[in-house]
Amino acid sequence: MQQKEKQVLVIGSINMDLVVRTEKLPTIGETIFGKTFARFPGGKGANQAIAAARLGAQVSMVGCVGEDDFGRELFFGLRENHVDVSFVGKSAEATGIALITVADRGSNTIVVVPGANNEVAITDVDKAFAKYNEPGVLLVQQEIPSTVVRYAIETAKKNNWLVILNPAPAREVSDEVLRCVDILIPNETEASVMTGRTVGSIEDARLAAEVLLAKGIGAVIVTLGSQGAFYCRKGFATHIAPIKVDAIDSTAAGDAFVGALACALARGEAIAEGLQFAAKVAALSVTRPGAQASLPWRRELEV
Amino acid sequence: MAVTIKNVAKAANVSIATASLILNQKEGAIRFSEATIQRVKEKALELGYVPNMSARKLRQNENDGAALTLAVLWPIDTRVGLIGRLLNGIHQYTTEFDTVKINLLVRTMGDDGVREVKELYAANLFNGAILANTTVDDEAYIHQFPPSVPIVLFNRFSPIYPFVSVDNFGAAKKVAEHFVKNGHSSVVVLASAISSQALEDRLAGFMDGLQGLDHVVVRCECTEASGYVVVAKMLAAGQRPTGLISVWDQTAMGALSALNDFGVKVPAECEVSGFDNQVYSSFTIPKLSTVNVPVEKMAFQAMKFLVQESMDPLNTEKNMMFGLDIIHRGTTKY
């Protein structure tokens, strides 16, 4: 039975990460010299869109950038990675940025200025859904206004789309919204915030997943970093063992996982195979440095 | 009442912890004297203590994460020979799908079929099951009382459950058409005495393909012995069938043996064709012509469906049909 490949629609953030490496973090009022400076395209929405597109999914992105150099760079970056950018708007607000200072010992400070990401509007969501007659896979995160996230999820549900919510960064989500979510993919921190209980171990993840599932979500996948993930739906729960690799940089591993799962489900695969694929993609991404740079292409997985 | 470890401990005059260490063969048991170990084991035997396997399983799962326990339900009859090929296909899948640890459980069924497998409804032993060689009665039962765990039917059809199956009717019809083409005057059809949708479909396919050709249908047990007896009796009574087709390799092989014993030349005087391509069918004299059922591929797919169903009830792809190949070896003229 050959199924038609579904559209993946990502509604989320597009940022430029500005990374400074220093010996130590500056204290209040202090001026220090940094060692290096670099900028990397980022934003969870863009990362996940690119992750899915590189794996061969038909991906369309709804987001917003500023009419500035960063905005243009990010816009073309998405396009180069085969993401359809017809619904990426341009705003008078500056492109979203993350100012990241990483000290030698690995401690960091991050300041995010959402800028144009806050300009993503309900009308943009409507325009995107209007383009598709067939239901697809919706992928949303929480780096854009919560009203837009909510509207996107409810609209998708109404039109029989498969709804995946990666609730990052963590914030409270109303139960009415969660009821429309088919697959919720929080990490430990997000699961903690959403359930009010600490999530560190696999057992914690099981309990948190059960609490979340009780809210009416179809399935919950708590990602646990090097401990793998915990998958749970009504009547079934299992730990997904991690794939052992030499980890170099875990940045965007979560985005790789979420993007890959969306891609597999859009291809018509079942969750079982989707999880296997996503775990493989995430494992591969941590073996190399960078965020978007570490996201694998489909050909790299075909051996 | 069930004998527990407490009863054994009391009878052997040791603590419950000591009895548990010894009976569960834990490493800690090494510190007890031979005499104590002997005494506890003897008392356990005497009282008829049986370890609670499901409790053990629960404890294990706490350590290594929840595993998916999947069952194959298989009736004990002559078709049991096919289970090797089935396990082979299942193993191929579990080797490939390494995301979740899968424990496989084979549950044999007696005359009561699925009715006796209470775990399908209690959902306390396995997360899902492949149902193979089900009878018409089994099928009616599961469609009337849906099990509480996901199931996949093997070589059967269902409007509601996922299944893997083959076009038994179509392939059987083609086999029969071969006999028609070769201008036979009298054909014996060996059909099954057991209840099986697949075997009935094969019989129906034979009938459809043979139309107009003189034939007789004999229902017999699906064993080599009954194939032999049926055909030997015919030959002893002076009948000389020119063709013999069977819904099942085993009866075909018995028939072939009888033809050999009565000096009937195969395939010159009588063509023979089986069904299933069991391993031994290519080692008979002459080698048995048959229909290959891709059991390994079907088992692989059945397991895949079962894992998908167990992990996600919303999964939509529900069934798959496999092609059948007619294999002409030494018992047919082609």
Side-chain angles (χ1 to χ4, degrees):
Chain A
M1 187 160 58
Q2 197 64 39
Q3 270 178 319
K4 201 171 151 271
E5 191 160 327
K6 288 181 183 162
Q7 180 69 36
V8 175
L9 183 62
V10 181
I11 303 185
S13 59
I14 307 169
N15 285 334
M16 188 62 88
D17 293 348
L18 306 171
V19 183
V20 178
R21 293 190 185 273
T22 60
E23 273 178 31
K24 62 179 190 74
L25 298 177
T27 54
I28 296 166
E30 188 184 17
T31 299
I32 59 164
F33 281 107
K35 296 201 291 188
T36 59
F37 166 74
R39 55 170 205 261
F40 302 101
K44 287 181 195 301
N47 287 353
Q48 292 174 18
I50 288 174
R54 284 191 181 173
L55 295 167
Q58 300 166 26
V59 184
S60 202
M61 171 116 204
V62 176
C64 195
V65 293
E67 288 185 88
D68 46 31
D69 288 347
F70 287 163
R72 275 185 285 279
E73 193 177 331
L74 293 168
F75 184 86
F76 289 117
L78 283 164
R79 216 168 64 175
E80 276 165 27
N81 282 287
H82 312 307
V83 175
D84 168 25
V85 287
S86 8
F87 305 112
V88 174
K90 294 191 181 69
S91 151
E93 292 288 322
T95 298
I97 53 131
L99 272 178
I100 305 169
T101 309
V102 183
D104 277 352
R105 283 185 181 164
S107 54
N108 63 34
T109 61
I110 302 177
V111 180
V112 174
V113 185
N117 290 308
N118 279 343
E119 302 297 303
V120 181
I122 283 171
T123 48
D124 299 326
V125 175
D126 280 335
K127 265 184 239 161
F129 278 111
K131 187 184 162 182
Y132 303 106
N133 302 322
E134 298 284 315
V137 176
L138 173 75
L139 185 49
V140 269
Q141 314 77 23
Q142 304 192 126
E143 291 184 332
I144 54 168
S146 60
T147 47
V148 179
V149 170
R150 180 185 183 135
Y151 183 76
I153 289 175
E154 288 174 347
T155 309
K157 192 71 195 169
K158 238 181 273 163
N159 293 298
N160 291 321
W161 284 53
L162 182 84
V163 179
I164 304 177
L165 173 63
N166 172 218
R171 65 183 174 206
E172 294 237 349
V173 185
S174 80
D175 289 1
E176 291 129 73
V177 176
L178 290 178
R179 266 199 289 278
C180 298
V181 174
D182 294 301
I183 304 173
L184 181 80
I185 314 178
N187 65 11
E188 296 110 310
T189 318
E190 290 139 21
S192 299
V193 172
M194 293 179 81
T195 60
R197 50 172 82 219
T198 320
V199 178
S201 67
I202 295 166
E203 197 46 40
D204 295 341
R206 173 198 294 271
L207 295 172
E210 280 168 5
V211 169
L212 290 167
L213 205 66
K215 294 179 187 288
I217 304 166
V220 178
I221 303 162
V222 182
T223 56
L224 296 165
S226 60
Q227 293 188 88
F230 196 86
Y231 168 79
C232 176
R233 63 104 174 135
K234 203 175 172 201
F236 180 77
T238 189
H239 174 234
I240 308 286
I243 298 172
K244 295 267 186 288
V245 287
D246 291 325
I248 290 180
D249 180 358
S250 65
T251 314
D255 294 334
F257 184 92
V258 175
L261 183 69
C263 169
L265 297 176
R267 268 207 299 260
E269 285 179 29
I271 279 196
E273 278 78 27
L275 285 170
Q276 183 178 31
F277 181 67
K280 241 186 230 171
V281 170
L284 187 56
S285 83
V286 303
T287 62
R288 40 207 197 185
Q292 288 181 8
S294 73
L295 299 170
W297 291 82
R298 185 173 195 167
R299 58 176 176 271
E300 297 177 77
L301 287 128
E302 288 165 357
V303 267
Chain B
M1 209 182 93
V3 178
T4 68
I5 213 149
K6 284 181 196 163
N7 308 124
V8 178
K10 200 176 170 197
N13 197 22
V14 295
S15 71
I16 294 169
T18 303
S20 165
L21 283 173
I22 291 170
L23 292 172
N24 290 312
Q25 296 172 3
K26 293 271 173 63
E27 281 171 29
I30 204 157
R31 63 186 141 104
F32 303 116
S33 72
E34 274 298 322
T36 308
I37 292 174
Q38 196 61 29
R39 192 169 75 243
V40 171
K41 285 187 173 171
E42 273 170 13
K43 286 293 170 197
L45 264 180
E46 209 176 289
L47 294 169
Y49 167 76
V50 179
N52 183 341
M53 290 312 285
S54 51
R56 276 189 188 175
K57 198 162 139 325
L58 280 177
R59 281 198 298 275
Q60 278 164 8
N61 281 352
E62 277 170 19
N63 299 331
D64 57 8
L68 196 53
T69 301
L70 299 175
V72 173
L73 307 187
W74 192 279
I76 285 302
D77 58 31
T78 54
R79 293 169 293 177
V80 83
L82 272 179
I83 205 170
R85 291 183 64 190
L86 182 107
L87 290 179
N88 205 320
I90 288 176
H91 179 75
Q92 280 167 28
Y93 182 74
T94 52
T95 309
E96 194 174 290
F97 185 74
D98 51 8
T99 301
V100 175
K101 217 176 111 189
I102 297 171
N103 291 328
L104 184 71
L105 189 139
V106 177
R107 175 79 149 79
T108 52
M109 300 186 288
D111 292 339
D112 285 342
V114 295
R115 288 169 193 272
E116 69 188 58
V117 188
K118 301 278 180 264
E119 295 87 352
L120 274 176
Y121 298 90
N124 57 357
L125 187 60
F126 42 77
N127 301 90
I130 294 174
L131 270 59
N133 294 347
T134 43
T135 61
V136 172
D137 180 48
D138 286 334
E139 283 144 35
Y141 189 76
I142 54 170
H143 283 90
Q144 192 181 356
F145 306 106
S148 340
V149 295
I151 58 168
V152 176
L153 303 183
F154 188 84
N155 205 1
R156 294 291 183 272
F157 295 93
S158 166
I160 54 170
Y161 299 118
F163 63 80
V164 292
S165 200
V166 293
D167 183 11
N168 284 298
F169 180 90
K173 187 175 173 182
K174 270 193 201 154
V175 170
E177 283 164 357
H178 167 86
F179 282 75
V180 173
K181 190 191 76 190
N182 280 0
H184 285 271
S185 52
S186 97
V187 173
V188 173
V189 178
L190 294 178
S192 146
I194 49 179
S195 167
S196 158
Q197 196 186 90
L199 298 182
E200 288 312 310
D201 285 351
R202 291 175 190 177
L203 178 61
F206 288 154
M207 296 297 103
D208 205 48
L210 281 178
Q211 272 177 16
L213 200 68
D214 185 22
H215 65 264
V216 51
V217 177
V218 182
R219 285 194 182 260
C220 61
E221 291 293 311
C222 281
T223 62
E224 293 87 341
S226 79
Y228 183 93
V229 170
V230 166
V231 175
K233 272 187 187 161
M234 287 181 168
L235 297 171
Q239 297 175 36
R240 284 292 179 271
T242 60
L244 210 150
I245 48 182
S246 171
V247 294
W248 183 244
D249 277 352
Q250 268 156 297
T251 35
M253 198 168 75
L256 184 62
S257 180
L259 290 165
N260 285 336
D261 284 355
F262 279 79
V264 179
K265 290 192 180 65
V266 178
E269 296 166 10
C270 182
E271 285 194 277
V272 179
S273 187
F275 214 115
D276 265 329
N277 193 23
Q278 295 232 21
V279 180
Y280 55 71
S281 65
S282 50
F283 297 95
T284 55
I285 302 169
K287 295 175 176 36
L288 185 65
S289 297
T290 185
V291 178
N292 181 50
V293 177
V295 177
E296 292 85 357
K297 281 184 192 159
M298 291 165 73
F300 183 99
Q301 190 59 44
M303 197 63 178
K304 188 170 175 170
F305 280 156
L306 189 58
V307 169
Q308 291 176 349
E309 281 279 307
S310 307
M311 292 183 67
D312 179 15
L314 301 173
N315 169 49
T316 50
E317 197 170 0
K318 293 289 190 192
N319 53 65
M320 195 176 278
M321 293 289 291
F322 290 80
L324 291 174
D325 298 316
I326 294 167
I327 304 174
H328 285 292
R329 294 200 186 101
T331 59
T332 45
K333 295 179 275 189
Y334 57 96

